[in-house]
Amino acid sequence: DTGVSQNPRHKITKRGQNVTFRCDPISEHNRLYWYRQTLGQGPEFLTYFQNEAQLEKSRLLSDRFSAERPKGSFSTLEIQRTEQGDSAMYLCASSLPTSAKNIQYFGAGTRLSVL
Amino acid sequence: AQTVTQSQPEMSVQEAETVTLSCTYDTSESDYYLFWYKQPPSRQMILVIRQEAYKQQNATENRFSVNFQKAAKSFSLKISDSQLGDAAMYFCAYSEPSGAGSYQLTFGKGTKLSVIP
């Protein structure tokens, strides 16, 4: 168990460019979440996967955002035509199949800076 | 929508002393979960303590304990014998099962805790 891994840790891009982040959850965790955290705020929910199915999306997830989880393992979050307002920390979390504990384990995040 | 409020943006405590962080939440549900997460500077968020709403007994984890007042929708965190390593942002979070099976977390804005040697 090596924890939730996120890559890259930092990404600097120019406005209008596309970026993609990767999240590798803890093995055997079938639930995967993406959150966004802006400076001075708590994380906000973006989307949820159970295995490979994307079952819930927040209103924060505009059309420029797309997330995938092929084969129910790692997940990617892509932002197209980035805007300065997209600058934030993007956090990934995973949890076990059973709801009994409902504990989410977080990765260290990808910090995005849009210039 | 559920909301979580942390009214103390910053707190400080002397090493070895006790500090209490406040959290209130708003929900119409009866089945839910409450959490305190710790986020050290530039490091990942880790779970400190978890409380199930149907349990009346307050959760405890070593030096960390909560005061869960369901009727008042209050969920405070008490840190006893504070240590330098406790310095971090602390987030209160709420979760309930959604129709899609998600237990997405709703976070407060956080309380920055400083520990004074």
Side-chain angles (χ1 to χ4, degrees):
Chain A
D1 180 357
T2 57
V4 178
S5 176
Q6 291 190 247
N7 288 288
R9 291 293 309 277
H10 303 275
K11 178 71 177 178
I12 300 174
T13 190
K14 292 182 178 179
R15 187 162 50 101
Q17 298 295 305
N18 299 344
V19 294
T20 300
F21 313 138
R22 176 175 171 132
C23 170
D24 287 89
I26 295 171
S27 59
E28 299 179 354
H29 281 197
N30 75 332
R31 297 171 183 227
L32 187 146
Y33 302 80
W34 284 98
Y35 294 85
R36 183 176 72 182
Q37 185 178 20
T38 53
L39 204 60
Q41 303 293 321
E44 296 173 290
F45 170 74
L46 290 178
T47 191
Y48 161 70
F49 288 86
Q50 187 168 317
N51 299 310
E52 67 277 6
Q54 187 176 19
L55 298 182
E56 197 154 340
K57 291 193 278 188
S58 160
R59 293 173 194 169
L60 292 176
L61 211 67
S62 75
D63 291 344
R64 297 185 297 105
F65 288 68
S66 63
E68 295 183 342
R69 193 182 182 198
K71 303 178 183 177
S73 56
F74 71 91
S75 176
T76 58
L77 178 67
E78 180 184 15
I79 308 175
Q80 296 182 327
R81 305 181 304 281
T82 53
E83 302 172 354
Q84 288 187 327
D86 296 332
S87 295
M89 177 76 85
Y90 290 85
L91 299 171
C92 176
S94 68
S95 67
L96 284 164
T98 60
S99 63
K101 290 273 188 181
N102 183 26
I103 296 172
Q104 293 183 29
Y105 297 84
F106 283 82
T110 294
R111 183 170 295 284
L112 173 66
S113 297
V114 182
L115 305 178
Chain B
Q2 286 72 21
T3 58
V4 177
T5 301
Q6 293 179 251
S7 58
Q8 306 152 315
E10 295 188 27
M11 293 279 286
S12 62
V13 61
Q14 290 284 143
E15 196 175 1
E17 295 297 308
T18 296
V19 65
T20 298
L21 308 184
S22 301
C23 173
T24 58
Y25 59 94
D26 186 26
T27 184
S28 57
E29 301 295 325
S30 58
D31 179 22
Y32 54 88
Y33 303 85
L34 296 164
F35 306 82
W36 280 97
Y37 276 89
K38 169 186 176 181
Q39 189 176 40
S42 301
R43 292 180 59 189
Q44 66 200 88
M45 199 166 317
I46 57 174
L47 179 68
V48 174
I49 200 164
R50 170 182 174 271
Q51 175 80 44
E52 293 146 307
Y54 66 86
K55 288 188 176 179
Q56 292 187 339
Q57 186 174 7
N58 289 325
T60 62
E61 286 289 342
N62 301 316
R63 298 183 294 109
F64 299 88
S65 61
V66 297
N67 183 4
F68 173 47
Q69 301 289 327
K70 191 171 184 179
K73 296 179 183 175
S74 170
F75 183 62
S76 61
L77 174 69
K78 185 171 82 170
I79 306 174
S80 304
D81 185 25
S82 297
Q83 301 175 359
L84 294 177
D86 294 335
M89 282 293 287
Y90 285 81
F91 291 98
C92 179
Y94 167 99
S95 166
E96 68 180 47
S98 76
S102 163
Y103 284 81
Q104 63 188 249
L105 294 165
T106 299
F107 287 88
K109 290 188 176 183
T111 296
K112 182 178 180 181
L113 178 66
S114 301
V115 180
I116 304 165

